[in-house]
Amino acid sequence: PGRVPDGLSHLVAIVDTSGSISRRELDAFAGELDGAFNDGAAERLTVIFADSDVRHVQEFNAGDPIELDSKGGGGTDFAPAFDWVRDNAPGAAAVVYLTDLETDSFGTDPGIPVLWAVYGSARRFPRLAAAAPFGDAVLISAD
């Protein structure tokens, strides 16, 4: 008998740290990541903190405690984070982008599944989700 993991080998999570994201939302994002990773969602987790640029990157392996060190606070541009994924995480199986989805710059599809995990208004969610040119959006929490 052996252990067969149900999770992905490498998951990338991008955390929107733009000025429109509050401390409360960052804490909620951290809780979502910690819960998913500790439930075996992935063997390896790369967390990218980005606003208008990539500000910080952290790497975790299965069993590591998740302690996030977020950086950012500027404008919002998703393109640099997706560029980072294409250039630095070629073996990633999927991207989860934790965001309020408030941007005009989505960048280009990274060529792997993208899940927009949206924190914000349930009333505005359908409009924001429809604007995403790729990936699937899910409302994780509403204010």
Side-chain angles (χ1 to χ4, degrees):
R3 183 175 168 258
V4 177
D6 292 327
L8 304 169
S9 60
H10 184 194
L11 176 66
V12 175
I14 305 171
V15 179
D16 180 349
T17 58
S18 65
S20 63
I21 302 295
S22 71
R23 180 84 245 160
R24 179 176 66 123
E25 291 162 330
L26 286 172
D27 290 344
F29 291 168
E32 293 289 335
L33 286 176
D34 187 53
F37 192 58
N38 287 323
D39 284 345
E43 294 174 20
R44 183 170 151 220
L45 173 66
T46 299
V47 181
I48 301 168
F49 300 93
D51 49 23
S52 60
D53 204 352
V54 172
R55 301 297 176 190
H56 186 58
V57 177
Q58 289 181 275
E59 298 278 344
F60 301 95
N61 291 305
D64 290 347
I66 303 282
E67 293 181 16
L68 299 180
D69 182 21
S70 65
K71 309 267 192 237
T76 307
D77 185 349
F78 296 159
F82 285 121
D83 291 344
W84 191 99
V85 171
R86 271 189 300 282
D87 295 343
N88 299 285
V95 174
V96 176
Y97 209 124
L98 299 157
T99 180
D100 61 3
L101 213 53
E102 295 281 353
T103 190
D104 293 327
S105 178
F106 285 89
T108 57
D109 188 333
I112 57 176
V114 173
L115 177 67
W116 302 98
V118 182
Y119 187 96
S121 168
R123 181 177 40 82
R124 294 179 51 179
F125 174 74
R127 179 184 58 79
L128 293 169
F134 54 87
D136 295 309
V138 61
L139 186 65
I140 60 169
S141 184
D143 52 8

